[in-house]
Amino acid sequence: MSTGTDPLAPLAQLPGVPDAVAEVRKAVDRLYGHRVMRRRAAEVTSESALRGARASAALAGADWPLEEVRRRSDFGADEETRTVGAALRIAAEAGQLLSVWRHSPLQVLARLHLLAVGDADPAAGRPRQAGEPAEELFPLELEPVEGVDAAPAPAGPAPALPSAPGAEEVAARLDQLSRLLVARAEGQGVGTPALVVASVVHGELLALRPFGAHNGVIARAAQRIVLIAEGLDPKSICPAEVGLAELGTESYRRALAGYLAGTPEGMAAWIGHCGRALRLGVRESTAVCEAMQRGMV
């Protein structure tokens, strides 16, 4: 596959996508230029991971206050607590998996699932097998935050999402996704913007729901890894998960429905939604930097 035959390249030219890419790039560059990043980048990275994990857990049904997530150390009491623990463990290790991701994305996905469920689970680290059900993606309705830069939502309830594909299709599509990502790591298809690649990985993992549990948390972590690998957010300081939570579950579901439909309009809407979420993540980390600069953190 050469740059000219990159299967993701047409997505970058869909209406609205070039603008979304440019806006994200501008926002991220501004954050990286903040004076706090010269001295305290590692602290910003750690805070981004914590806030991203909290938001990802909230989207999966465990909506805890940030300070509660920060102070807790026991994450095994009940389903909500285990969800928060899974998100924290994944966030803590995701940035360390980049070298493996470049040549074996599926190995990294297996590791993320193992981190989420623990090695005592017999299904840890393996995709769903034939007959095994896929989990519900949106168990909690998060209301959008007032004033957030969200696209206008159509009237009426968010559309129902189709059932997850069976195990055989999941395996085939995961293999195809892995081949595409490895080819990019080898320098093929590098012209497609990071936002587009990350959005596709995120959407595809939500569509497939390859594991028996924690697929949403894993998909959002994979998006973060792609943003690091593609060079848009190499220090992992832009918690897109925060933006997704701020935009609300209904907007997330609507955007994902567009991805699943596979139409040009639907794909553009999904990429645009991911771009807005990432810009909100930038805003979150910018606020962290400002607090550090004022000596409040």
Side-chain angles (χ1 to χ4, degrees), residues 8 20 36 81 83 86 109-110 113 133 137 144-145 147 155 172 188 194 201 226 279:
L8 301 185
V36 166
T81 308
T83 297
L109 294 177
H113 187 245
L137 277 178
V145 176
Q188 303 175 50
V201 171
V226 172
R279 295 203 315 275

Side-chain angles (χ1 to χ4, degrees), residues 32-58:
Y32 271 81
H34 197 288
R35 66 175 61 187
V36 166
M37 288 297 296
R38 300 184 203 132
R39 299 175 285 110
R40 303 178 68 179
E43 294 174 67
V44 180
T45 296
S46 295
E47 190 65 18
S48 171
L50 179 70
R51 292 174 184 236
R54 190 219 71 82
S56 194

Side-chain angles (χ1 to χ4, degrees), residues 137-154:
L137 277 178
F138 299 104
L140 178 71
E141 290 295 329
L142 292 179
E143 294 296 327
V145 176
E146 186 175 351
V148 164
D149 178 23

Side-chain angles (χ1 to χ4, degrees), residues 52 94 104 135 143 158-159 162 175 178 202 208 213 217 244 277 283 285:
S104 183
E135 67 175 342
E143 294 296 327
D175 181 68
S178 177
H202 182 184
L208 296 179
V217 174
L244 290 167
R283 189 179 71 176
S285 285

Side-chain angles (χ1 to χ4, degrees), residues 59 134-141 157-165 202-209 215-216 220 248-262 266 270 273:
L59 289 162
E135 67 175 342
E136 173 64 38
L137 277 178
F138 299 104
L140 178 71
E141 290 295 329
L161 300 178
S163 300
H202 182 184
E204 190 68 1
L205 291 175
L206 290 178
L208 296 179
R209 284 177 267 172
N215 288 292
R220 291 183 285 274
T249 307
E250 182 174 343
S251 293
Y252 198 9
R253 187 196 300 269
R254 285 186 186 279
L256 179 60
Y259 177 87
L260 296 175
W270 170 249
H273 188 78

Side-chain angles (χ1 to χ4, degrees), residues 18-282:
D19 288 341
V21 168
E23 289 167 2
V24 163
R25 178 81 264 178
K26 182 178 179 180
V28 172
D29 286 348
R30 188 182 302 118
L31 173 58
Y32 271 81
H34 197 288
R35 66 175 61 187
V36 166
M37 288 297 296
R38 300 184 203 132
R39 299 175 285 110
R40 303 178 68 179
E43 294 174 67
V44 180
T45 296
S46 295
E47 190 65 18
S48 171
L50 179 70
R51 292 174 184 236
R54 190 219 71 82
S56 194
L59 289 162
D63 189 9
W64 287 16
L66 178 63
E67 292 311 312
E68 176 71 5
V69 177
R70 195 189 301 279
R71 73 171 186 83
R72 287 286 289 268
S73 58
D74 176 17
F75 295 100
D78 53 42
E79 185 175 353
E80 267 199 21
T81 308
R82 287 191 291 272
T83 297
V84 175
L88 284 169
R89 289 190 297 273
I90 285 175
E93 191 165 320
Q96 304 170 30
L97 299 171
L98 185 59
S99 61
V100 181
W101 178 266
R102 294 186 190 282
H103 65 81
S104 183
L106 299 186
Q107 185 178 340
V108 170
L109 294 177
R111 175 61 182 168
L112 295 178
H113 187 245
L114 176 62
L115 287 168
V117 303
D119 54 14
D121 188 324
R126 68 159 176 79
R128 288 185 289 115
Q129 296 180 346
E132 292 181 341
E135 67 175 342
E136 173 64 38
L137 277 178
F138 299 104
L140 178 71
E141 290 295 329
L142 292 179
E143 294 296 327
V145 176
E146 186 175 351
V148 164
D149 178 23
L161 300 178
S163 300
E168 186 174 343
E169 181 179 346
V170 167
R173 286 171 64 175
L174 281 177
D175 181 68
Q176 184 178 29
L177 182 64
S178 177
R179 289 175 182 273
L180 184 149
L181 292 169
V182 170
R184 289 187 63 79
E186 293 173 348
Q188 303 175 50
V190 294
T192 303
L195 173 64
V196 173
V197 182
S199 299
V200 169
V201 171
H202 182 184
E204 190 68 1
L205 291 175
L206 290 178
L208 296 179
R209 284 177 267 172
F211 300 104
H214 300 298
N215 288 292
V217 174
I218 290 168
R220 291 183 285 274
Q223 175 181 251
R224 184 178 278 242
I225 293 171
V226 172
L227 293 173
I228 300 170
E230 295 283 329
L232 179 61
D233 183 19
K235 295 184 185 296
S236 193
I237 59 171
C238 306
E241 306 94 331
V242 171
L244 290 167
E246 288 192 20
L247 291 169
T249 307
E250 182 174 343
S251 293
Y252 198 9
R253 187 196 300 269
R254 285 186 186 279
L256 179 60
Y259 177 87
L260 296 175
T263 63
E265 297 79 9
M267 295 297 293
W270 170 249
I271 296 167
H273 188 78
C274 291
R276 284 188 291 276
L278 187 54
R279 295 203 315 275
L280 289 170
V282 168

